[in-house]
Amino acid sequence: MAIKSNVLVLLLNIVASCFTLIRCDVVEVDLGGTWIVTNGNKSISVPGNVPGNVHTALYKNGTIKDPYFRFNDVNYRWIAYDNWTYTRSLEVSKDITSKRQILLVFEGLDTVATILVNGIQVGKSKNMFHRYIFNVKGALKTGLNTIKVRFTSAVLYAKGQAKKSPYRVPPQCPVCVQRGECHGNFIRKEQCSFSWDWGPAFVPQGIWRNVLLQAYDSAVIRDITVTPTKGSVNVTWQLLVTTFIDAAEDGVTGTLLLSLPQMSRSQKLPIKLSQGLQKVSLPVMSFTEKDCVKPWWPQGYGKPNLYTVKVVFVSSSGKEQSSVSRNMGFRKVNLVQEHIKDAPASVSGRGFHFEINDLPMFLKGANWIPADAFEDRVTSSVLRNLLQSAADANMNVLRNWGGGIYQHDEFYSIADELGLLVWEEFMFACAMYPADQEFLNSVKEEVRYQVRRLHHHPSVMLWSGNNENEAALAEDWYNTSSTFSRYANDYVKLYIDTIRETLEEEDKSRPFLSSSPSNGVDTEMEGWIAKTPSSPYWGDVHFYDYKMDCWNVSGYPKPRFASEYGFQSYPSFETLAEVSVEGDWTYDSAFMEHRQHHGDGNEQMLYQAQKHFKLPSSSDPLKKFMDTLFITQVTQAQCMKTETEHYRRLQSELVQGKGKTMGTIYWQ
């Protein structure tokens, strides 16, 4: 009898497993893998991976050589000016086409595209940072189907948008030394892909994140947000889990099941849904000392303890279910801006530091730019290596800079695991931006999606509106002073009335800074654009001076928080040798000038080096070149060491009201 009983239990488990995996789950078909990539006049047609982009597809198939090689960033600019189409076939069963709701879900399209199923247009995209969900119920058929994603050149699109603008939105083009493309601020795309002072302008196109076909009769969970709150004496922590659930039709009923397996806690909530996306919050969970909740701590302060939260929707019929699992941490973050004790009465200003779980912390780390110009090459191993290196270097924070991308899910998951805090910026940098309603609506959806996607990560400690745009406006970087009020109004519309307002609806558990650098609370008091947003008495600062003697600490500011600073160097000879030829191996070669995107950068590095070192003078040209590369690296290391130690020393110093520095994040 015992044997029969065990067999029965095993059989029931197998049936339950099959029911869950095959008959219950919302149908999802991964459409990643090989697509066909074709240019505008159909003269080029090659296989291309999804996720991926046109450049890597052409490179892998031998149509082009390494895009990084020598002058290829300019030689291959024709790729960015062409329009490219991704095509694939898909066999679809009756089980899928019979569902009430059939959707194509694109987690990332780069950037301007029209999507067709069997020749029928089902949607368009204009924002690299959206998740697009297109209803294909009327276009998809049982049997063989064709899906096309027709991309429009981002360069030409941005140019067209700029032409339609009723007034100039600067900068219209990058400075000449960057060899970039114009009007990147008119398109919601990775800004540095149009060029930067450290990187090339490839302006890629492609399906850069996952895509799937989704079919269901009841409802699917799109996102969940997880908000831990530190409690009082009797209640140590509280946890609010909110689901965003998409119903196929009005009147769908079912049950939401929430579980925390490590805590042996669960709850369920019967729900009735209207058609479309809606927000459903589960009852707040409370924890006491008996629950022994282990908080999440940053690197160097304790263990980054993580817990799994799982939410399942089960339809009343029992025929379908949708589930989402997220790792989260019990973590509280505060940005403290209080008057400095013992500061001279004549000095205004406030401190600026972060508290994690009520403990003040000195933050130390680096700014993060995209790890590759082509994001499909940023694999899990690349992210793991870089983030582990940051942890091994005793960093506890990374600033995800606003000129790149909202990072891949794995970036934040690894940061969670390693105890690395993330200063997260919205993707706006070093520019004015349009403020027409279409642009603002697109940004609003961008913020909503990205905040919901990243909300559960304990590593994400701060939302920042942009990189250096307050400073650009206040300090007249782009000749905006004659029409300052126009650009100031646009600035407030975008970062305050749109981004901040949307953020307050989505996430009140983290602080928000309108810009970096900014004067924090003083910026807000001055109407969101401070007269001197790089003041050492308030907020955070960015500091660069390539003419000073970097060993002389008297030349550095004494800020509350140094969120960006640094000195340039060249990479190693081994790195450059992979993308150059022997004729390029002199410091003043055309190749080396081409590689330098910062004005007078090569001269500045030697100028700084010769203050404390003898410049290489070998009669062997190759040795002289290699030694020169090395001396720029040694100079950079000493400069960064000196400046970083200066800021760390100021943690406990107050000099004429300046100092009490509580963070140092170098570039980059």
Side-chain angles (χ1 to χ4, degrees):
M1 188 68 188
I3 294 175
K4 289 183 180 179
S5 176
N6 288 340
V7 170
L8 179 59
V9 170
L10 179 61
L11 181 61
L12 287 171
N13 285 340
I14 292 171
V15 171
S17 175
C18 292
F19 187 69
T20 299
L21 294 176
I22 299 172
R23 296 164 66 183
C24 275
D25 279 2
V26 168
V27 177
E28 292 188 347
V29 181
D30 184 355
L31 299 184
T34 302
W35 292 51
I36 300 300
V37 181
T38 309
N39 70 334
N41 66 11
K42 298 184 172 63
S43 60
I44 300 173
S45 188
V46 298
N49 285 336
V50 170
N53 70 83
V54 173
H55 284 78
T56 51
L58 296 176
Y59 178 41
K60 286 179 180 177
N61 286 279
T63 307
I64 63 172
K65 294 182 179 179
D66 185 351
Y68 284 124
F69 186 72
R70 301 194 78 215
F71 307 97
N72 280 349
D73 59 311
V74 173
N75 294 339
Y76 294 154
R77 197 64 54 84
W78 58 269
I79 299 170
Y81 276 79
D82 208 340
N83 301 321
W84 297 83
T85 298
Y86 277 68
T87 306
R88 69 158 290 161
S89 298
L90 178 66
E91 190 78 34
V92 176
S93 68
K94 182 71 174 175
D95 287 344
I96 290 177
T97 55
S98 64
K99 296 287 186 181
R100 289 193 183 96
Q101 190 76 291
I102 311 173
L103 305 170
L104 267 180
V105 181
F106 290 92
E107 294 182 6
L109 290 165
D110 186 9
T111 295
V112 182
T114 301
I115 294 83
L116 302 102
V117 175
N118 297 323
I120 300 170
Q121 182 178 314
V122 297
K124 290 188 172 185
S125 72
K126 292 183 181 179
N127 189 318
M128 179 182 182
F129 307 122
H130 280 192
R131 174 180 58 199
Y132 285 98
I133 301 174
F134 302 121
N135 189 332
V136 296
K137 174 73 174 175
L140 204 71
K141 62 185 181 182
T142 303
L144 192 63
N145 295 262
T146 301
I147 302 172
K148 290 182 182 288
V149 181
R150 291 179 178 164
F151 287 97
T152 297
S153 164
V155 175
L156 298 180
Y157 173 84
K159 184 178 180 180
Q161 293 298 105
K163 279 186 176 179
K164 290 192 289 186
S165 176
Y167 52 87
R168 181 179 70 100
V169 183
Q172 291 171 293
C173 297
V175 292
C176 293
V177 70
Q178 292 183 18
R179 290 169 280 279
E181 295 293 345
C182 300
H183 308 299
N185 50 344
F186 274 90
I187 182 172
R188 290 309 299 141
K189 174 176 171 59
E190 179 183 37
Q191 296 292 272
C192 64
S193 71
F194 283 76
S195 83
W196 217 261
D197 59 2
W198 47 261
F202 288 114
V203 204
Q205 299 174 44
I207 304 173
W208 76 290
R209 280 187 171 155
N210 296 331
V211 53
L212 58 88
L213 183 71
Q214 194 175 65
Y216 54 94
D217 287 321
S218 55
V220 63
I221 299 173
R222 292 269 166 241
D223 301 287
I224 66 171
T225 60
V226 181
T227 307
T229 306
K230 204 170 182 187
S232 59
V233 176
N234 295 325
V235 176
T236 55
W237 289 91
Q238 291 185 311
L239 186 66
L240 173 64
V241 177
T242 298
T243 66
F244 298 88
I245 189 164
D246 201 351
E249 60 181 359
D250 283 337
V252 169
T253 59
T255 303
L256 277 178
L257 305 170
L258 167 65
S259 62
L260 277 76
Q262 296 103 315
M263 305 288 289
S264 299
R265 295 286 293 273
S266 63
Q267 53 181 224
K268 62 181 180 179
L269 179 70
I271 56 173
K272 184 176 182 179
L273 303 168
S274 302
Q275 186 176 22
L277 188 68
Q278 50 234 277
K279 175 180 176 180
V280 180
S281 294
L282 287 111
V284 173
M285 272 190 179
S286 294
F287 301 90
T288 66
E289 289 186 359
K290 288 190 295 184
D291 293 301
C292 298
V293 173
K294 297 177 180 178
W296 183 93
W297 289 102
Q299 167 94 344
Y301 289 87
K303 291 184 178 180
N305 297 294
L306 294 171
Y307 293 87
T308 299
V309 171
K310 184 174 183 180
V311 180
V312 181
F313 171 76
V314 181
S315 64
S316 292
S317 66
K319 292 181 180 179
E320 276 189 342
Q321 71 176 32
S322 173
S323 64
V324 172
S325 291
R326 298 283 187 264
N327 286 335
M328 57 78 61
F330 288 90
R331 189 270 298 120
K332 174 185 175 184
V333 56
N334 283 333
L335 171 56
V336 181
Q337 301 180 76
E338 295 176 342
H339 291 290
I340 298 286
K341 186 181 178 182
D342 299 327
S346 59
V347 174
S348 62
R350 294 193 186 188
F352 186 96
H353 76 269
F354 291 89
E355 292 182 352
I356 306 298
N357 301 331
D358 298 321
L359 181 66
M361 292 187 181
F362 185 93
L363 300 187
K364 48 184 181 174
N367 285 266
W368 179 283
I369 63 167
D372 199 293
F374 309 111
E375 285 297 332
D376 56 304
R377 308 205 310 193
V378 184
T379 61
S380 297
S381 61
V382 169
L383 290 171
R384 172 68 63 177
N385 177 52
L386 288 168
L387 292 169
Q388 186 65 58
S389 297
D392 291 346
N394 298 311
M395 295 183 188
N396 58 24
V397 67
L398 295 169
R399 173 176 174 248
N400 187 33
W401 169 73
I405 65 165
Y406 305 96
Q407 284 299 317
H408 305 279
D409 291 336
E410 289 166 295
F411 172 93
Y412 303 97
S413 296
I414 296 169
D416 292 343
E417 176 192 328
L418 296 176
L420 291 170
L421 293 162
V422 178
W423 172 311
E424 182 62 46
E425 293 198 334
F426 293 104
M427 294 299 126
F428 302 86
C430 299
M432 305 297 101
Y433 285 87
D436 59 273
Q437 200 55 53
E438 182 183 0
F439 189 87
L440 296 177
N441 288 344
S442 182
V443 170
K444 190 168 190 174
E445 288 307 307
E446 171 186 327
V447 172
R448 206 177 293 285
Y449 167 56
Q450 295 296 341
V451 172
R452 290 177 185 177
R453 180 174 77 93
L454 304 180
H455 190 285
H456 67 279
H457 291 287
S459 55
V460 178
M461 67 170 220
L462 170 78
W463 302 106
S464 177
N466 63 73
N467 172 77
E468 299 184 347
N469 294 348
E470 180 188 350
L473 191 51
E475 298 167 9
D476 196 25
W477 292 7
Y478 306 121
N479 300 314
T480 54
S481 58
S482 61
T483 49
F484 176 82
S485 60
R486 167 188 286 169
Y487 296 108
N489 288 337
D490 285 355
Y491 182 94
V492 172
K493 276 184 188 177
L494 176 56
Y495 302 110
I496 307 308
D497 298 342
T498 301
I499 291 178
R500 180 174 179 258
E501 187 175 297
T502 306
L503 183 61
E504 287 190 342
E505 295 172 2
E506 299 294 332
D507 184 11
K508 294 182 179 179
S509 69
R510 295 171 174 87
F512 168 76
L513 281 179
S514 55
S515 184
S516 177
S518 85
N519 286 356
V521 291
D522 177 65
T523 282
E524 183 172 355
M525 289 187 290
E526 291 192 59
W528 299 106
I529 303 167
K531 290 184 177 62
T532 56
S534 294
S535 168
Y537 297 106
W538 306 83
D540 64 319
V541 304
H542 297 184
F543 179 78
Y544 298 94
D545 185 344
Y546 306 113
K547 295 180 180 179
M548 66 179 286
D549 180 352
C550 75
W551 289 24
N552 185 351
V553 296
S554 65
Y556 297 122
K558 300 177 179 67
R560 306 301 187 211
F561 196 108
S563 55
E564 194 179 309
Y565 64 93
F567 292 85
Q568 192 181 23
S569 82
Y570 266 106
S572 65
F573 173 73
E574 289 78 6
T575 297
L576 285 176
E578 292 180 357
V579 292
S580 59
V581 297
E582 188 174 350
D584 299 327
W585 297 342
T586 61
Y587 194 74
D588 58 355
S589 69
F591 168 76
M592 293 295 284
E593 287 296 320
H594 182 78
R595 234 43 187 191
Q596 177 58 264
H597 278 203
H598 172 64
D600 299 323
N602 288 353
E603 293 77 10
Q604 288 171 355
M605 282 187 278
L606 296 186
Y607 173 79
Q608 190 64 244
Q610 67 186 1
K611 288 181 180 295
H612 298 280
F613 303 102
K614 289 183 179 180
L615 295 182
S617 57
S618 173
S619 59
D620 178 349
L622 179 57
K623 185 176 189 312
K624 182 179 178 181
F625 179 63
M626 296 174 70
D627 289 347
T628 304
L629 296 179
F630 178 69
I631 205 67
T632 69
Q633 294 179 324
V634 172
T635 300
Q636 182 196 49
Q638 286 298 111
C639 291
M640 302 285 271
K641 177 179 186 290
T642 303
E643 188 169 0
T644 301
E645 288 176 346
H646 165 74
Y647 295 136
R648 295 199 67 181
R649 188 163 51 246
L650 282 168
Q651 179 181 356
S652 58
E653 291 186 10
L654 194 64
V655 183
Q656 297 178 330
K658 301 175 185 177
K660 293 292 182 181
T661 307
M662 285 296 287
T664 171
I665 307 178
Y666 73 77
W667 183 263
Q668 79 232 35

